[in-house]
Amino acid sequence: MPSPFGLLAELTYACPLHCPYCSNPLDMADYQDELDTAEWQRVLAEARELGVLQLHLSGGEPLQRRDVVDIVRSAHELGMYTNLITSALGLSAHRAEQLRAAGLDHVQISVQSHEATTSDRIAGTTSFRRKIAAAHLVKELGWPLTLNVVLHRLNIDGIADVLAMAEHLNADRVELANTQYYGWARRNREALLPSRAQLERAEVVVRAARERLAGRMEIIYVLPDYYGQRPKPCMGGWGQRQLTVAPNGDALPCPAAQELPLPRANVRDRPLAWIWAESPVFQAFRGTDWMGEPCRSCARRDIDFGGCRCQAFLLTGDAARTDPVCSLSPDHGLVADAVRSANADQPVETALIPRPHPSRLDRS
């Protein structure tokens, strides 16, 4: 049994942004009864005993929690490397100083585009200038800075300007992650899936920037699954190295697994060690014994583990099917049809469905 290396703590699904590609679940009202401070501190202690070394604090917007400083301090005292994944709205100078004193190690700021008008339109609220100010603050306080830009049809053509912005901000790392179609992104796929020509132009820009900025800024570029011939491994393998704890305490092998029809395992009911080692949700697709064909006979079964279980379920209704992005999948036509539509001479224009701003039961 491997030990988990990283824990994604989704502290709350409340968020000031309304991004149409958000991976949060559609039924966010089911997650209002959030773990309180003491419960999160217990979860962190149990995670550290399991072997977790990296803690990623996310949401929603983790800065919506008044106790985020206390949670960071507890993780630091346990010896965890802590990373705040944030929209940066709420990262005031005072809050940043508190987090620095508590031991926060790294800050990752999401930015929707390279300029205010497009960024604010995608985010659904005026936010770009505050994000840029927060990025400067992060560097002033000596933190490593990662900029995360989720790419899609509406912003990918500005990728050169995005990289110029990251360079101007002296970012240590920039993640250019094409949208993965779960949660709200799945509902907005027709409006967000880029064309092949857009992706080809973006790859040329990224390749040149990597060569020019080698040793100065790390550039991560993630292609959309729909344009691959073989699927990516799901979180390095289901229940192999990572786990997620949702705001209500549900423990999951990946952030999108809320949508799967699997038994829930909650940290309020069971110790994290039992959940990791024995719970049905973590055992369901661990290893390769669960696989059917063509995965069972495939030489890549120990490399990509059949691809993404959540994507398989969302596209086929069966989480045990081969990920349809794989060209060997009998369901690959579902992905091919979506790609064909995105590359039509006149692609379908659809209105974006914004992620709502859920209320929350504040127990922090």
Side-chain angles (χ1 to χ4, degrees):
M1 176 68 63
S3 296
F5 181 77
L7 167 63
L8 177 66
E10 296 184 320
L11 300 183
T12 179
Y13 287 147
C15 181
L17 305 188
H18 304 271
C19 303
Y21 53 75
C22 183
S23 61
N24 285 169
L26 301 179
D27 56 343
M28 287 186 286
D30 292 348
Y31 298 87
Q32 291 179 316
D33 187 14
E34 298 170 1
L35 299 180
D36 63 23
T37 310
E39 288 173 319
W40 273 116
Q41 288 170 331
R42 175 179 57 79
V43 169
L44 297 183
E46 292 181 8
R48 186 67 191 90
E49 284 188 20
L50 265 177
V52 169
L53 296 174
Q54 292 186 354
L55 174 67
H56 304 278
L57 298 165
S58 181
E61 174 48 66
L63 292 174
Q64 296 263 323
R65 293 276 302 218
R66 292 197 302 267
D67 59 351
V68 66
V69 173
D70 296 324
I71 292 171
V72 167
R73 183 179 297 109
S74 296
H76 177 72
E77 290 171 353
L78 289 165
M80 291 180 175
Y81 183 90
T82 52
N83 174 33
L84 179 68
I85 303 171
T86 177
S87 69
L89 275 64
L91 189 63
S92 64
H94 177 65
R95 200 82 178 283
E97 291 282 4
Q98 288 181 316
L99 289 165
R100 194 78 178 98
L104 183 68
D105 294 297
H106 185 276
V107 179
Q108 176 177 316
I109 296 177
S110 67
V111 182
Q112 282 64 42
S113 184
H114 66 281
E115 54 86 28
T117 301
T118 304
S119 183
D120 292 347
R121 178 166 61 90
I122 294 169
T125 190
T126 303
S127 55
F128 178 78
R129 300 196 188 285
R130 285 183 284 173
K131 289 170 178 286
I132 299 303
H136 285 297
L137 177 61
V138 166
K139 295 302 294 186
E140 287 168 12
L141 291 175
W143 274 311
L145 171 64
T146 293
L147 291 184
N148 175 265
V149 184
V150 177
L151 299 175
H152 43 78
R153 176 180 288 273
L154 306 179
N155 66 1
I156 193 169
D157 290 328
I159 197 168
D161 293 316
V162 165
L163 286 164
M165 174 186 67
E167 187 178 2
H168 174 73
L169 291 170
N170 197 27
D172 300 276
R173 189 169 185 263
V174 58
E175 293 183 358
L176 304 168
N178 273 278
T179 302
Q180 303 297 305
Y181 294 98
Y182 317 117
W184 294 92
R186 173 82 173 109
R187 297 191 68 177
N188 287 300
R189 188 183 69 185
E190 287 186 358
L192 297 176
L193 188 63
S195 69
R196 192 177 302 277
Q198 286 181 302
L199 291 170
E200 290 172 353
R201 291 193 297 268
E203 287 186 57
V204 171
V205 172
V206 170
R207 198 160 45 239
R210 279 178 171 161
E211 292 177 3
R212 184 173 59 83
L213 297 170
R216 293 169 50 199
M217 185 171 72
E218 182 182 8
I219 300 173
I220 308 298
Y221 180 65
V222 182
L223 281 170
D225 287 355
Y226 281 45
Y227 282 91
Q229 291 300 302
R230 295 291 182 270
K232 303 180 182 73
C234 177
M235 302 296 291
W238 183 275
Q240 296 292 315
R241 300 296 286 159
Q242 308 281 338
L243 72 159
T244 296
V245 176
N248 69 339
D250 283 348
L252 302 158
C254 81
Q258 296 106 324
E259 304 198 51
L260 300 186
L262 294 171
R264 288 290 184 254
N266 194 286
V267 298
R268 286 175 169 149
D269 304 322
R270 292 279 197 165
L272 200 59
W274 181 89
I275 292 173
W276 174 260
E278 301 183 46
S279 68
V281 66
F282 275 83
Q283 293 285 4
F285 302 111
R286 185 175 265 153
T288 59
D289 290 346
W290 59 271
M291 291 180 177
E293 296 296 348
C295 294
R296 181 177 291 275
S297 302
C298 182
R300 292 179 55 87
R301 65 182 179 276
D302 294 310
I303 298 172
D304 59 34
F305 304 100
C308 177
R309 299 302 86 225
C310 303
Q311 193 156 250
F313 175 73
L314 288 171
L315 290 172
T316 73
D318 182 356
R321 298 281 286 183
T322 298
D323 187 338
V325 306
C326 181
S327 62
L328 301 177
S329 166
D331 305 303
H332 184 66
L334 297 171
V335 171
D337 287 344
V339 169
R340 193 175 300 112
S341 177
N343 287 275
D345 291 336
Q346 293 183 324
V348 177
E349 296 292 337
T350 58
L352 290 170
I353 303 169
R355 172 204 188 274
H357 188 333
S359 58
R360 58 184 292 256
L361 177 61
D362 192 344
R363 303 178 69 241
S364 60

